[in-house]
């Protein structure tokens, strides 16, 4: 285990707080922030270690967030469970692929994903209201496909998929 000085510890705590704030505020964006912060602010040198560390941190934050949303009764459990199951399968595959890719290439791909996410978030959306989704076969298949894709990307880059 390498020696981490007090500045790195403080940087890690501040960066973790920023990532947690982002996750709590908008429900996503944690690892999009966490991986670069771990690499360039905290000083982790290995891209794969930064990705794995971000995945752990974001998973813990997401669990805490889920508990709060569940207590308020704003979780669509059937949809979430199908999406999560598919996401786990995709993440397992994505993490295997990610470990086989050189760190520099993986970081370049991560930058492309960050740009795509940013552009996607700028697109106008229709008004979001109360969710009244009823599970059916069409929705289940869409959730499975999107869960696999999101899980794969999450496993590949250590991002949460929020």
């Amino acid at each position: 285990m390498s020696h981490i000085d007090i500045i790195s510890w403080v940087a890690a705590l501040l960066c973790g707080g920023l990532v947690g704030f982002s996750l709590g505020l908008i429900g996503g964006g944690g690892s999009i922030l966490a991986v670069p912060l771990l690499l360039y602010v905290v000083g982790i040198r290995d891209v794969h270690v930064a990705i794995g560390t971000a995945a752990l941190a974001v998973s813990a934050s997401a669990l805490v967030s889920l508990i709060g949303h569940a207590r308020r009764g704003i979780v669509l459990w059937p949809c979430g469970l199908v999406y999560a199951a598919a996401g786990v399968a995709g993440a397992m595959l994505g993490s295997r692929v990610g470990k086989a890719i050189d760190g520099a290439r993986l970081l370049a791909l991560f930058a492309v994903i960050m740009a795509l996410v940013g552009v996607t978030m700028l697109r106008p959306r229709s008004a979001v209201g109360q969710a009244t989704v009823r599970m059916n076969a069409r929705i289940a298949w869409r959730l499975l496909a999107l869960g696999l894709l999101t899980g794969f990307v999450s496993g590949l880059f250590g991002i949460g998929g929020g």
Side-chain angles (χ1 to χ4, degrees), residues 91-155:
M92 290 171 57
L93 179 61
S95 67
R96 285 181 182 248
V97 171
K99 287 186 262 183
I101 297 175
D102 173 67
R105 284 197 175 119
L106 195 57
L107 194 56
L109 289 171
F110 185 81
V112 170
I113 291 294
M114 286 177 62
L116 290 173
V117 168
V119 169
T120 301
M121 290 181 73
L122 293 174
R123 293 184 331 179
R125 290 183 35 108
S126 60
V128 178
Q130 179 66 26
T132 58
V133 176
R134 299 250 187 244
M135 182 66 82
N136 61 39
R138 187 176 130 273
I139 290 173
W141 282 111
R142 288 178 71 184
L143 287 167
L144 284 170
L146 290 171
L148 280 169
L149 177 63
T150 304
F152 180 81
V153 173
S154 295

Side-chain angles (χ1 to χ4, degrees), residues 3-4 27-28 34 37-38 58 70 73 79 86 90 100 103 107 125 135 140 155-156:
H3 174 70
I4 299 178
L37 288 171
L38 288 168
V58 171
C79 293
L107 194 56
R125 290 183 35 108
M135 182 66 82
L156 185 64

Side-chain angles (χ1 to χ4, degrees), residues 64-88:
V64 170
S65 180
L66 170 64
I67 292 167
H69 289 295
R71 285 184 178 158
R72 289 194 310 271
I74 55 173
V75 176
L76 297 173
W77 288 103
C79 293
L81 291 172
V82 169
Y83 189 79
V88 166

